[in-house]
Amino acid sequence: MEFHKLSFILVIFVTLVTLLSLNFLPTSQYLIAETDRSALLAFKNAINSPLGALSSWNESSHCSNWTGITCSRRHPGRVTTLSLQSMSLLGPISPYIGNLSFLKIVSLYDNHFTGQIPQDIGRLLRLQVLWLSSNKLTGNIPKNITSCTELENFSLVNNELVGEIPTELGSLSKLQKLNLSENLLAGTIPVSLSNLSALDSLYLSSNNLHGYIPSELSKLSRLEIFQISGNNLSGNVPPQLFNNSLINVFAVSYNKLGGSIPHYIGTTLQNLQYLYLSGNHFHGLLPNSISNISSLSEVSVPQNQFSGPVPGCFARSHFS
């Protein structure tokens, strides 16, 4: 009798396991999807939406139908995109955002988010794009953002962030675009940023950065945009930086930089379109080789100590 009872229990157990594996009993999946839904509602409850942009976020509809939400096709109910830019949203970014573990894109730029960037964002291991630009975020850049190892595009431009640029950012091996401009960041440019081998755009302008430009940044062989204007950087521009043939924007204006401009830049910077050197302590000649750069469209060099004749190329470029 006991044997038959045990056999019956075993059969039931195996049947349940089989049904779960075939998704005939999607209880686990349902509960996980509810975690995403609950996290979104907690995110909504933490902010104000004066334009009613989040009115579709309610209990009567599936979250895949909510404004700014995209869900996974393979995993229904799992949120992959949170896109709420330019909606006049007010308030803090809820730490519950860290529960949206399938997120790949977070786009919250051009709102009025306040407070600190929640540490919980570091739990988003699938995150590829994080745009928090043009808000009123304060505090430091979370160091654990480097747990988001899939991150490719990271922008915090135009906020009120303080502290130093975390050296840990140098471990984001897939990062292609980094924009930390227009904040209150201090300290030096971390040498570790030279480890970002996939980086094509580096924006650090309009902060309170000081010290030297690390020569190691010349290792960024894919760099196309180098924008560090409006800081307190000093010393010379490492000549190796002028060897990167992919650079099309080279902007170091309004710092305390000195030295001369290498005579060969017209040979090495063949894709240069914008050259901004204003408001520094550069001296010597402006290289005639600049005339070799056919793509050049704008040059700005005033408030320096240059001497000698102006290269002829400035007649066809926008020179100031």
Side-chain angles (χ1 to χ4, degrees):
M1 185 67 177
E2 289 296 326
F3 174 77
H4 292 297
K5 188 181 294 184
L6 288 172
S7 299
F8 176 75
I9 293 173
L10 182 60
V11 169
I12 294 296
F13 176 76
V14 171
T15 303
L16 286 172
V17 170
T18 303
L19 288 173
L20 284 171
S21 67
L22 293 174
N23 287 326
F24 288 148
L25 291 177
T27 305
S28 177
Q29 182 178 337
Y30 174 79
L31 290 174
I32 293 174
E34 275 302 298
T35 297
D36 281 21
R37 181 185 178 88
S38 298
L40 290 173
L41 291 175
F43 178 92
K44 176 186 176 183
N45 291 337
I47 60 177
N48 294 319
S49 177
L51 303 180
L54 303 185
S55 58
S56 62
W57 291 34
N58 55 62
E59 298 286 354
S60 62
S61 62
H62 192 274
C63 63
S64 61
N65 297 319
W66 293 358
T67 299
I69 300 299
T70 302
C71 291
S72 170
R73 293 182 179 180
R74 292 182 58 190
H75 306 276
R78 304 313 310 272
V79 178
T80 57
T81 299
L82 177 63
S83 181
L84 301 173
Q85 62 272 6
S86 305
M87 293 185 178
S88 299
L89 302 176
L90 302 156
I93 299 174
S94 170
Y96 282 96
I97 194 173
N99 290 346
L100 302 171
S101 58
F102 269 63
L103 271 181
K104 293 183 178 181
I105 298 174
V106 174
S107 178
L108 303 177
Y109 68 84
D110 190 25
N111 281 291
H112 305 288
F113 284 106
T114 56
Q116 298 190 13
I117 301 171
Q119 296 280 340
D120 303 76
I121 283 182
R123 295 163 51 196
L124 303 177
L125 305 184
R126 293 177 170 87
L127 194 62
Q128 298 174 2
V129 175
L130 179 58
W131 288 334
L132 302 178
S133 306
S134 298
N135 281 288
K136 298 179 180 179
L137 297 170
T138 57
N140 299 326
I141 300 173
K143 294 180 179 180
N144 71 341
I145 197 72
T146 55
S147 297
C148 306
T149 54
E150 299 298 312
L151 199 60
E152 299 175 359
N153 195 326
F154 183 27
S155 179
L156 300 175
V157 61
N158 190 19
N159 278 287
E160 299 170 13
L161 299 167
V162 297
E164 298 187 353
I165 300 172
T167 59
E168 290 82 357
L169 292 183
S171 67
L172 293 171
S173 60
K174 296 185 179 181
L175 196 62
Q176 298 173 23
K177 302 182 188 304
L178 176 62
N179 194 339
L180 306 179
S181 296
E182 298 178 47
N183 280 286
L184 304 171
L185 298 172
T188 59
I189 299 175
V191 174
S192 62
L193 296 186
S194 64
N195 295 327
L196 301 175
S197 58
L199 199 69
D200 60 49
S201 304
L202 177 62
Y203 299 88
L204 303 176
S205 61
S206 301
N207 279 289
N208 296 318
L209 301 174
H210 65 268
Y212 300 111
I213 302 172
S215 60
E216 290 85 353
L217 294 183
S218 61
K219 291 163 51 180
L220 302 175
S221 60
R222 299 185 184 182
L223 199 63
E224 298 176 12
I225 297 176
F226 183 65
Q227 169 58 280
I228 60 169
S229 299
N231 283 287
N232 295 305
L233 298 166
S234 56
N236 297 344
V237 177
Q240 302 95 318
L241 277 174
F242 293 106
N243 291 331
N244 190 335
S245 62
L246 295 182
I247 287 182
N248 58 65
V249 176
F250 193 93
V252 297
S253 297
Y254 301 105
N255 281 285
K256 299 176 181 178
L257 299 168
S260 59
I261 306 301
H263 65 87
Y264 52 77
I265 69 168
T267 304
T268 54
L269 298 183
Q270 284 299 305
N271 290 301
L272 190 65
Q273 298 179 43
Y274 302 96
L275 178 63
Y276 300 121
L277 305 175
S278 306
N280 283 289
H281 306 300
F282 295 120
H283 58 79
L285 297 173
L286 279 168
N288 280 324
S289 66
I290 294 178
S291 301
N292 298 331
I293 308 175
S294 59
S295 58
L296 197 61
S297 63
E298 188 167 345
V299 179
S300 181
V301 297
Q303 300 177 49
N304 280 289
Q305 299 166 18
F306 289 117
S307 58
V310 175
C313 69
F314 287 6
R316 58 175 170 76
S317 65
H318 181 68
F319 171 57
S320 62

